[in-house]
Amino acid sequence: MSASKEIYRDDYVHVLLEQGGALVRVVRSARAFRDTATIEQVFGAVYFVLRAQKLKDWVLLSDQRLAPGRNEPEFEQALARSRNQIYPLFQKRAVLVRSAIGKLQLSRLIKQDQYERLVSQDEAELLRYLGA
């Protein structure tokens, strides 16, 4: 991992700028979201911080390896709203998962929204895809 600058941290996520700000790494913690309002509060804050950076030609690496799995419809809908707010900020997106089950879950979600992204358990593969 290259030198990074932390721009946001809470109990659920931390956000790092890497590669001179060209790569944004969003790392989910192992703490489960209490409710959908928490999801919207956390990712609303992430969106606000990212917009304030005014960076260009960004790529996103979302590290979901520690995130607890949730597939209740209301949680999936809240996360979809967050993706729809944050993903347009990036030219390319990639998601790092811990397991084949996580990859399968994310593949299902990719079919439901309009944002292309690569999902893998291999960080080096994702960084190559992002051009980082």
Side-chain angles (χ1 to χ4, degrees):
M1 185 161 47
S2 66
S4 61
K5 174 185 171 188
E6 184 173 88
I7 60 170
Y8 181 80
R9 177 183 289 271
D10 64 25
D11 291 340
Y12 302 93
V13 66
H14 67 276
V15 180
L16 305 162
L17 294 180
E18 298 180 8
Q19 314 226 344
L23 173 72
V24 174
R25 184 183 297 256
V26 177
V27 182
R28 263 289 277 128
S29 74
R31 185 171 184 166
F33 287 115
R34 293 186 302 266
D35 50 37
T36 59
T38 304
I39 292 171
E40 291 173 0
Q41 178 184 9
V42 166
F43 287 109
V46 169
Y47 175 77
F48 180 79
V49 168
L50 291 173
R51 292 283 300 178
Q53 297 301 310
K54 298 182 181 173
L55 300 174
K56 297 186 188 292
D57 303 326
W58 307 4
V59 295
L60 171 67
L61 178 59
S62 179
D63 184 343
Q64 298 293 311
R65 291 176 291 183
L66 297 178
R70 299 290 299 252
N71 63 358
E72 298 100 316
E74 63 274 12
F75 280 85
E76 286 191 356
Q77 290 166 5
L79 288 167
R81 287 189 297 273
S82 297
R83 285 192 306 273
N84 288 334
Q85 184 179 39
I86 292 171
Y87 276 13
L89 299 173
F90 299 96
Q91 288 190 338
K92 282 185 158 181
R93 296 154 291 276
V95 183
L96 183 58
V97 295
R98 178 179 47 214
S99 66
I101 292 170
K103 187 173 180 178
L104 185 63
Q105 172 76 1
L106 265 289
S107 296
R108 182 179 62 78
L109 295 175
I110 289 170
K111 292 176 185 174
Q112 294 175 2
D113 66 31
Q114 71 236 25
Y115 297 104
E116 181 180 328
R117 57 204 176 268
L118 182 62
V119 179
S120 178
Q121 295 168 254
D122 183 346
E123 184 172 350
E125 175 188 20
L126 295 174
L127 291 171
R128 283 190 302 274
Y129 167 77
L130 294 171

